[in-house]
Amino acid sequence: PEDAWYKEAVDYVYANGLMNGTSATTFAPNMLLSRAMIAQVVHNLEDNPAAAEQGVFTDVAAGAWYADAVDWAAGEGIVSGYGSGEFGPEDNITREQMALILYGYAQYKGYDVGAGGELSSFTDGASTSGWAAEAVRWAVGSGLLSGKGGGVLDPQGTATRAEVASILMRFCELNG
């Protein structure tokens, strides 16, 4: 809808080829984003380069729509799996996982990642996983993650396509 809080962000990511719709006429803003989808988004930011290595993860089937994106992003150190050789492509992305991937992409691009936000300013900031804390602090400090209202960051919560579109628009404008 024209008056939706996410309208500008959805228009931005669609117009810039970062995210596609779920059909020719729908975006599905409330649908959760998967780990495969965020890998594809980062791959799209780079104009879909070829991966140096194929089959990086045991659960990413060759020929899957996201295989090239996941393999490329893993090869560049932008994404990582669960430590068991699996990526979890169909798992819903958490907000802290998304922050870590964008942090890795920002480092890959040589962007300034020195911004640091205070997780203690959120009622649930301490629930951020240790492996994601630096990336989440950067995402908060740079204005990419601002919480969900009421002082809640929800680092281990999932992210909708609308939320990711908004974060991606801010990321691109910050580093444009």
Side-chain angles (χ1 to χ4, degrees):
E2 289 297 320
D3 62 347
W5 67 266
Y6 50 80
K7 172 80 164 97
E8 179 184 5
V10 169
D11 288 346
Y12 180 91
V13 297
Y14 184 76
N16 287 286
L18 303 180
M19 293 177 76
N20 294 323
T22 55
S23 78
T25 59
T26 60
F27 185 78
N30 295 319
M31 181 177 147
L32 297 177
L33 202 78
S34 71
R35 290 171 52 85
M37 289 176 186
I38 196 70
Q40 184 64 56
V41 166
V42 173
H43 197 229
N44 293 346
L45 280 166
E46 284 300 296
D47 295 324
N48 304 303
E53 184 180 348
Q54 303 292 315
V56 177
F57 298 105
T58 59
D59 61 345
V60 174
W65 65 266
Y66 52 80
D68 289 342
V70 171
D71 288 340
W72 171 81
E76 299 300 335
I78 297 167
V79 302
S80 59
Y82 292 129
S84 60
E86 295 182 339
F87 180 71
E90 300 301 325
D91 295 350
N92 294 326
I93 191 85
T94 66
R95 290 165 56 86
E96 65 185 7
Q97 289 171 351
M98 181 181 51
L100 185 63
I101 290 169
L102 290 177
Y103 183 71
Y105 179 67
Q107 289 176 314
Y108 165 81
K109 293 296 285 182
Y111 297 155
D112 180 8
V113 292
E118 284 298 321
L119 301 184
S120 62
S121 64
F122 296 96
T123 59
D124 61 348
S127 67
T128 302
S129 299
W131 51 262
E134 184 177 342
V136 173
R137 278 193 292 275
W138 164 78
V140 167
S142 61
L144 299 179
L145 287 179
S146 56
K148 291 187 161 187
V152 175
L153 181 61
D154 196 20
Q156 295 181 16
T158 54
T160 66
R161 288 173 52 86
E163 290 169 332
V164 173
S166 182
I167 291 166
L168 286 171
M169 184 176 77
R170 287 193 297 268
F171 179 86
C172 292
E173 289 174 346
L174 178 68
N175 297 296

